[in-house]
Amino acid sequence: MNVLLIGGGGREHAMAWKLAQSSMLDELYVTPGNPGTLRHGRNVEVDLQDQRALRHLIIDKRIRMVVVGPEAPLVDGLHDRIAADPGLKGLVTVIGPGASGARLEGSKEFAKEFMLRHGIPTAAFRAFGRGELDAALEHVRRTAGPYVIKADGLAQGKGVVIAASREEAEQTLKDMMQGTALGAAADRMLIEQHLSGTEVSCFLITDGEAFKMLPSAKDYKRIGDGDTGPNTGGMGAVSPVPFADREFMDKVHDRIALPTIRGLRSEGIPYQGFLFMGLMNVGGEPYVIEYNVRLGDPETQAILPRLRSDLMDLFEGIATGTLSERHVDVDDRSCATVVLASAGYPGKYETGKAIVGLDLVQSAHVFQSGTRQEKDRLLTAGGRVASVSAFGKDIEHAIINAYTNVALIDFEGKTHRMDIGQDLLNTSAGRGGTGQKLGIK
Ligand code: AMP
Ligand code: GLY
């Protein structure tokens, strides 16, 4: 089968790498892809808004499956446009939900209301429209901090502010509700109850009827060690997560995954593809912070290496509505992923720096994101440049292995966190680890 994979980040490089291992795959096309995906398929240019061009590509390349990496095309209705195209009728399966299902990520208020309807544990909230600034300020004055303030729509990571003080919360609400910086994403605003705990990213794959849980991962979002500094797209990940043990994952399955898939069905919302449940572990109880309608980046780079099953087989299960008959087989080993970024990221950074040492990496996978090939040189071309994923018999060994390989790669301004996975070693639940802090230089 020929597949078109949409996206061009580390997540998509990992997906391309995984798909290319399948005997069910004939040709893999990636758009836009990156120099990393080029090793597993062909990169093609197509404007996803241009339905004629997309149709032509699908027909010309005999594509039978479109796998969507990022959320924006899904929220934007790409699935629906392909499904409704008379020229493509019955020809292609899209892995990723239609616009109605993608609202779980595209509208935080919709997601919250959905969770309320289906009894899915999440932080309490209030929603306010642009004209309701006074009511929102009044709500802040009547409640205790910290305040979790969120724009309803997609805001490229800039739509959530955790305000410690009442003054900061009021200022944030004024800025977001009166300003134009976030566009229509801030037409509705949410103020949520603040949850204290540890975050964990859980994933499932579904054909709309059955679903299968995928490995969990912990993401490290801040740029600095010890979770300091500004938020990024993600600076590293570890899978599995020691505290997301059998008991915890059973709760995730029963209280969150199952009612979510049942809820979608009962509301007549078709959903096929991945669902990312961003959870907070509050004293052993899972609460949903957010849904994403895709896999995570960089979580994917830590979970796909652990997936023993053929990803194409799972996708085939979606295409034929037979996911219940497929198996998700997971490697027991731990995988640690360290993201290499350009100096200055997530603020301003320079690009065009030569990347060296990739050929020295032997005991890890390097998934590229912000890279560009120029003749025989690989150059940096983005904030997050690449992620290095390595196995270990436990988290401690996975981390050591990942950092050993990180040290082999170099480019001017190479920046990364030194403490990916460290916090997990310090928990009593640390599976197989020594419980000691590692002295990584
Ligand atoms: P979101 O975009 O909804 O995932 O929010 C971004 C980040 O804000 C999350 O990854 C959490 O670290 C934090 N956050 C969001 N909602 C809450 C909440 N209700 N309580 C505490 N932290 C939260
Ligand atoms: N790593 C978080 C995300 O993909 O949203």
Side-chain angles (χ1 to χ4, degrees):
M1 184 184 303
N2 292 355
V3 173
L4 173 65
L5 172 63
I6 292 172
R11 167 183 50 209
E12 287 78 21
H13 185 181
M15 292 171 92
W17 164 81
K18 182 69 185 161
L19 289 171
Q21 293 165 31
S22 173
S23 59
M24 296 165 74
L25 181 82
D26 293 317
E27 295 286 343
L28 177 65
Y29 297 92
V30 192
T31 183
N34 66 40
T37 62
L38 208 48
R39 298 168 57 183
H40 311 291
R42 299 181 204 188
N43 292 345
V44 290
E45 286 290 334
V46 64
D47 176 359
L48 298 176
Q49 303 290 340
D50 183 344
Q51 187 64 21
R52 271 188 58 183
L54 183 60
R55 183 193 311 123
H56 180 262
L57 176 72
I58 290 173
I59 293 172
D60 186 46
K61 305 292 185 201
R62 300 172 199 278
I63 286 158
R64 294 293 171 264
M65 190 171 275
V66 176
V67 180
V68 188
E71 69 280 6
L74 296 168
V75 173
D76 193 41
L78 178 68
H79 180 132
D80 312 275
R81 285 201 301 278
I82 292 176
D85 191 319
L88 299 175
K89 214 134 197 90
L91 219 54
V92 268
T93 299
V94 182
I95 306 297
S100 61
R103 289 176 74 198
L104 283 182
E105 177 164 359
S107 166
K108 292 184 189 290
E109 186 178 12
F110 173 81
K112 281 287 192 183
E113 298 280 1
F114 177 89
M115 288 185 262
L116 273 188
R117 284 197 292 279
H118 300 288
I120 296 165
T122 187
F125 78 106
R126 288 276 307 273
F128 302 92
R130 278 220 192 254
E132 296 173 298
L133 177 61
D134 287 344
L137 295 174
E138 182 58 30
H139 179 73
V140 163
R141 287 182 198 121
R142 275 191 284 107
T143 50
Y147 303 91
V148 181
I149 298 171
K150 298 186 181 181
D152 175 59
L154 294 185
Q156 287 171 340
K158 295 184 173 57
V160 179
V161 172
I162 316 271
S165 69
R166 194 159 289 170
E167 292 69 35
E168 193 188 344
E170 292 182 10
Q171 194 56 49
T172 301
L173 284 167
K174 284 179 194 159
D175 291 347
M176 287 191 177
M177 293 176 80
Q178 293 178 329
T180 52
L182 298 177
D187 284 352
R188 305 274 304 161
M189 295 293 304
L190 272 63
I191 305 178
E192 287 185 16
Q193 168 197 14
H194 182 263
L195 299 173
S196 300
T198 313
E199 284 180 59
V200 54
S201 305
C202 294
F203 303 91
L204 61 78
I205 184 166
T206 181
D207 60 6
E209 297 278 330
F211 68 90
K212 303 275 179 187
M213 297 296 293
L214 297 171
S216 60
K218 187 168 191 289
D219 177 23
Y220 294 79
K221 288 204 175 83
R222 305 291 193 101
I223 186 73
D225 286 356
D227 288 331
T228 53
N231 255 321
T232 70
M235 293 301 293
V238 172
S239 177
V241 183
F243 66 76
D245 55 12
R246 185 69 169 268
E247 189 188 348
F248 184 83
M249 290 310 292
D250 281 349
K251 291 178 187 171
V252 174
H253 179 280
D254 296 351
R255 299 179 193 172
I256 295 166
L258 190 61
T260 300
I261 299 304
R262 280 197 183 143
L264 288 165
R265 277 175 53 193
S266 71
E267 296 191 19
I269 300 173
Y271 195 104
Q272 58 186 46
F274 296 105
L275 182 70
F276 170 159
M277 298 161 281
L279 308 179
M280 189 76 88
N281 173 1
V282 184
E285 309 300 323
Y287 286 79
V288 178
I289 292 178
E290 62 165 353
Y291 288 116
N292 296 306
V293 297
R294 51 169 174 81
L295 288 177
D297 190 339
E299 289 96 325
T300 304
Q301 294 91 302
I303 67 172
L304 286 189
R306 295 188 61 229
L307 183 68
R308 281 223 189 94
S309 313
D310 185 337
L311 189 56
M312 279 298 291
D313 183 57
L314 297 176
F315 288 169
E316 183 72 16
I318 291 179
T320 53
T322 56
L323 189 67
S324 63
E325 297 163 20
R326 319 281 162 148
H327 295 285
V328 170
D329 187 17
V330 176
D331 195 319
D332 280 341
R333 290 176 295 169
S334 292
C335 187
T337 299
V338 179
V339 172
L340 307 183
S342 300
Y345 173 79
K348 278 180 95 162
Y349 54 82
E350 292 178 8
T351 59
K353 313 292 181 194
I355 304 169
V356 295
L358 288 188
D359 49 331
L360 303 175
V361 173
Q362 284 185 343
S363 58
H365 300 293
V366 181
F367 298 115
Q368 298 183 30
S369 37
T371 59
R372 168 166 73 82
Q373 192 78 39
E374 200 183 83
K375 300 205 180 92
D376 56 352
R377 293 200 314 162
L378 188 68
L379 305 178
T380 65
R384 290 192 295 172
V385 173
S387 34
V388 178
S389 295
F391 275 123
K393 68 176 164 49
D394 52 34
I395 289 177
E396 182 178 348
H397 287 87
I399 296 169
I400 293 172
N401 195 9
Y403 280 103
T404 302
N405 286 286
V406 160
L408 301 174
I409 303 169
D410 204 17
F411 54 87
E412 191 189 318
K414 175 182 132 187
T415 301
H416 60 82
R417 274 180 65 159
M418 298 293 230
D419 66 340
I420 300 302
Q422 290 281 339
D423 55 328
L424 300 176
L425 300 179
N426 295 328
T427 65
S428 53
R431 185 187 290 162
T434 60
Q436 308 271 309
K437 252 193 166 249
L438 288 176
I440 292 166
K441 296 274 156 26

